């Protein structure tokens, strides 16, 4: 095996004030000797980093020598080394391009020999009983190791096939497994490059394509997770440089949401739309929309704000921007709703409120531009229609004030209350909150 110079503190772990050697057994060794431990952890019996490094180097040299001897004693070791040397010479790298053709043939011969020993050779070669024979071989410890090695050596796995290797560990729930299978099947159907050949650029382009198909950021995250699980299964050696790059191939991609070039990304929500959305909904959805339409608070601010019912004020902590930290008056039309909002334990949490509103909106076929944030647009529009200046609207909404002259304007809470109370939805037809 090729020797690599360890980094200064590589494979050193500090635990309870004592340094330990922490080294992962190389993947080829584990493939040929599955009884070997996946990690070697040995106390270096020192709290000095300098002594720990010296002892670490000596122990790692001994481990490398032992692993080399183990590989040399295996009949497939020379083939593995020859294949790795050839790929390095051709500039393909240890993982790129698979397959290991010569090794695959020898593995298949060993598997057939095992089938003979188990009396499964005839079943393995007969089409009608082949599946049953394969299952029997996979249930045998040696057969399971050989079939896994054949799959790895073949390297031409589709996303669905590679995904089944991951699911074979039995670490995910059935519902999650079904979702993952759908993600991998879609990738194969759309012609995504195989796991052993895909590049980071291709992964990003695929995510952008799926975004353009209308997938939400959360759906894109689930694709990243499903694909990353496959790559981590195929490339398990986190300490190997090439494995680490392949494992991280789907991570770190920033795929911004598609911009609505028609200028309809967001808009206000009309009273008649609110009526249809709120019909039959939980009380907390109706109360939240009414509070937002009369205060301009964001959904998150409804939960983080301090509602002072005695002084009739709302104190909003710093959130999205520095300007979002503000104190605004409590509109008299939402006094009762504010009391229930802060006292009723059956109130939805933020995630449930957001999902309930979004699902109802989609079920009604409302435009994508309509969201809970549209209540904030409705509040700002109501202020503008009531003749409130842009400076005052920015103060109430928690926006950065753009007018330099406003620095010299000093308004009291009561001044803001007078402007805020110009908002009056009682004249709206139909009135959205008759059920409250």
């Amino acid at each position: 095996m090729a020797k690599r110079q360890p980094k200064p503190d590589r494979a050193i772990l500090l635990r309870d004030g004592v340094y330990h050697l922490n080294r992962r057994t190389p993947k080829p060794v584990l493939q040929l000797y599955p009884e070997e431990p996946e990690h070697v952890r040995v106390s270096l019996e020192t709290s000095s980093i300098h002594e720990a490094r010296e002892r670490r180097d000596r122990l790692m040299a001994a481990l490398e020598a032992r692993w080399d001897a183990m590989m040399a004693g295996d009949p497939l070791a020379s083939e593995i080394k020859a294949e790795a040397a050839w790929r390095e010479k051709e500039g393909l790298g240890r993982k790129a391009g698979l397959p290991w053709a010569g090794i695959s043939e020898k593995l298949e011969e060993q598997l057939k020999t095992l089938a003979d020993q188990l009396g499964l050779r005839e079943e393995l070669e007969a089409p009608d009983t082949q599946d049953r024979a394969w299952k029997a071989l996979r249930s045998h410890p040696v057969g399971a190791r050989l079939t896994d090695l054949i799959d790895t050596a073949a390297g031409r796995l589709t996303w669905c096939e590679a995904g089944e290797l991951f699911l074979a560990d039995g670490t995910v729930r059935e519902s999650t497994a079904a979702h993952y299978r759908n993600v991998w099947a879609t990738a194969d159907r759309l012609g995504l490059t195989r796991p052993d050949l895909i590049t980071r650029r291709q992964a990003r382009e695929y995510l952008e394509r799926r975004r353009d198909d209308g997938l939400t950021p959360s759906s894109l995250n689930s694709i990243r997770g499903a694909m990353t699980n496959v790559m981590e299964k195929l490339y398990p050696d986190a300490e190997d440089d090439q494995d680490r790059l392949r494992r991280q191939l789907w991570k770190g991609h920033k795929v911004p949401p598609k911009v609505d070039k028609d200028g309809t990304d967001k808009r206000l929500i009309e009273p008649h739309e609110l009526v249809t959305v709120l019909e039959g909904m939980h009380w907390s959805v109706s109360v939240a929309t009414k509070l937002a339409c009369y205060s301009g608070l964001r959904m998150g601010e409804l939960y983080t704000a301090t509602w002072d019912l005695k002084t009739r004020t709302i104190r909003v902590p710093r959130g999205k921007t520095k300007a979002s930290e503000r104190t605004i008056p409590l509109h008299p039309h939402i006094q009762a709703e504010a009391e229930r909002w802060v006292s009723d334990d059956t109130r939805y949490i933020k995630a449930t409120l957001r999902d309930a509103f979004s699902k109802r909106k989609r079920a009604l076929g409302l435009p994508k531009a309509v969201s809970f944030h549209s209540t904030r647009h409705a509040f700002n529009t109501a202020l503008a229609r009531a003749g409130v200046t842009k400076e005052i609207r920015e103060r109430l909404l928690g926006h950065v004030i753009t007018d330099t002259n406003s620095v010299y304007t000093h308004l009291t809470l009561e001044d803001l209350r007078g402007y805020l109370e110009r908002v009056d939805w009682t004249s709206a037809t139909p009135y959205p909150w008759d059920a409250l």
Side-chain angles (χ1 to χ4, degrees), residues 158-232:
T158 65
W159 284 101
C160 284
E161 292 167 345
E164 290 303 324
L165 287 179
F166 165 73
L167 295 178
D169 294 340
T171 57
V172 300
R173 295 179 299 180
E174 282 299 321
S175 58
T176 305
H179 171 68
Y180 282 172
R181 287 190 177 100
N182 182 53
V183 171
W184 297 324
T186 302
D188 288 334
R189 178 172 54 81
L190 295 178
L192 181 64
T193 306
R194 296 196 319 256
D196 59 309
L197 298 176
I198 192 169
T199 64
R200 186 169 179 83
R201 179 179 180 180
Q202 290 171 329
R204 177 178 177 82
E205 289 175 349
Y206 180 74
L207 291 173
E208 290 174 344
R209 176 183 179 181
R210 302 298 288 137
R211 175 204 61 190
D212 294 343
D213 289 341
L215 265 64
T216 62
S218 61
S219 297
L220 294 178
N221 283 335
S222 70
I223 292 177
R224 289 191 189 95
M227 300 311 203
T228 298
N229 286 332
V230 168
M231 301 305 284
E232 290 180 348

Side-chain angles (χ1 to χ4, degrees), residues 257-269:
K258 189 175 181 181
V259 177
D260 189 343
K261 296 181 180 179
D262 297 331
T264 57
D265 188 31
K266 288 287 183 287
R267 69 166 174 83
L268 61 85
I269 186 167

Side-chain angles (χ1 to χ4, degrees), residues 269 272-283 285-286 289 299 348 351-368 370-372 432 435:
I269 186 167
H272 69 276
E273 293 173 328
L274 262 178
V275 169
T276 57
V277 169
L278 299 180
E279 184 178 358
M281 293 288 280
H282 190 266
W283 71 265
V285 181
S286 298
T289 55
M299 181 184 291
Y348 276 170
T352 306
L353 175 65
R354 181 181 60 246
D355 290 346
F357 190 95
S358 298
K359 288 178 181 178
R360 173 57 67 88
K361 180 202 77 170
R362 289 195 297 269
L364 294 172
L366 293 178
K368 189 175 181 180
V370 174
S371 67
F372 188 90

